[in-house]
Amino acid sequence: MNQNQPRRPGQSQERPTRCGDVLPVAGGHAGEAITPRAADMMPSAENRVLGRTPSDGPASGMESAATRNKQRGVVRNAPGLQDVSVTQTDIPGSPGQRLVTKFVAGQAVGQYVIYRGAAGDDQGGGGCSVAMWTDKVTIGEALEATATTAGDKTVEASDAAAIQAAEATATGVNAVTPGGVAAAAQAAAAANASRDRNDDKTRLGQVVKEAAMRLPVDKVATRRDAERVLAAEMRNSPDLLTYPGGVGASMVAAARLNQQR
């Protein structure tokens, strides 16, 4: 009569290892199961961008989690994580070097600085090698990540306030830097407020593009920095709320990642 009972009392209560258990992601995506298919997505994205899969970083953590989930039989009916991507950008002033950012559920979870072989080096794969693992996300990089998580959002006063707080935290100067990210955000918010057509309004992704390069000074994002940015965003929101995936949320994700490193 015990045939339908689980062999171990706690087995029926097991849940899969989720994205938020191994990666610094926030929001609903944190509860998504890491399946073998999801774990395969990161190295596939790395191969498309880099021509290779580095031996450490988020991919290894996802692979271990997916293996555990499969062995425990807890992901057969779980849809699992679907949003994994890798981007790379040239680093100004550093010929041949590129910053590779890895996104899971639209949130930055790690970065590489890579370099390519000197001119004339025509080795297979473009001579691409990992120069170093950048395991700390800066405030500027957190702002750039917002272009992925909330890039289509129209810039409002709350966004501009959050960006100004982030810039001030990075530079240590409360004044808005002329021509900087905060100045662009304030100008966009003011212009958007006077525009009737939504299609004519400036988007958040346009403002935070290449933020890390445009900040005169940058620094690693901390929990205190994230709290300051969140507070600024909430104070300037009509509903006293932060936008999902917005500037404050990106700072929180960056701070969580840095705490785990």
Side-chain angles (χ1 to χ4, degrees):
M1 71 181 183
N2 294 324
Q3 290 180 351
N4 294 328
Q5 294 180 355
R7 292 169 58 177
R8 290 180 297 169
Q11 187 174 7
S12 62
Q13 298 179 0
E14 284 192 90
R15 67 169 179 83
T17 301
R18 299 170 180 172
C19 189
D21 295 330
V22 297
L23 297 170
V25 297
H29 292 293
E32 296 183 8
I34 298 182
T35 64
R37 179 172 181 269
D40 289 341
M41 293 172 69
M42 180 63 79
S44 295
E46 289 174 334
N47 276 320
R48 285 195 301 270
V49 175
L50 305 177
R52 57 173 291 181
T53 301
S55 59
D56 59 356
S60 60
M62 293 177 67
E63 182 178 359
S64 297
T67 300
R68 289 196 301 271
N69 286 341
K70 184 178 180 180
Q71 290 174 344
R72 291 157 56 199
V74 291
V75 294
R76 285 175 295 180
N77 298 320
L81 184 71
Q82 300 295 323
D83 184 10
V84 176
S85 62
V86 177
T87 64
Q88 66 174 329
T89 56
D90 293 328
I91 300 178
S94 301
Q97 293 191 21
R98 294 182 178 181
L99 182 67
V100 177
T101 305
K102 301 181 179 183
F103 294 93
V104 172
Q107 301 174 48
V109 297
Q111 292 181 317
Y112 288 103
V113 174
I114 64 171
Y115 66 91
R116 295 188 178 276
D121 183 359
D122 235 358
Q123 297 176 355
C128 176
S129 302
V130 175
M132 61 180 173
W133 170 249
T134 305
D135 58 358
K136 298 290 185 179
V137 181
T138 68
I139 290 175
E141 291 161 356
L143 290 176
E144 288 182 358
T146 311
T148 300
T149 56
D152 289 335
K153 181 186 184 299
T154 58
V155 181
E156 301 175 0
S158 57
D159 304 311
I163 292 173
Q164 181 181 355
E167 183 177 273
T169 301
T171 63
V173 179
N174 287 325
V176 175
T177 303
V181 185
Q186 290 179 346
N192 286 348
S194 64
R195 292 170 178 164
D196 296 327
R197 280 172 39 88
N198 193 59
D199 290 345
D200 295 334
K201 296 183 178 182
T202 302
R203 309 292 169 173
L204 192 55
Q206 297 173 271
V207 172
V208 299
K209 183 180 180 181
E210 299 181 347
M213 305 302 176
R214 292 161 58 196
L215 288 176
V217 180
D218 204 355
K219 67 182 286 290
V220 169
T222 67
R223 179 178 177 181
R224 180 172 295 181
D225 300 333
E227 290 173 348
R228 178 177 178 181
V229 173
L230 279 173
E233 185 174 345
M234 290 178 64
R235 282 197 308 268
N236 290 271
S237 169
D239 301 321
L240 297 180
L241 298 173
T242 59
Y243 188 82
V247 178
S250 292
M251 283 290 295
V252 169
R256 286 182 60 193
L257 172 63
N258 292 340
Q259 280 185 315
Q260 295 177 12
R261 297 297 182 182

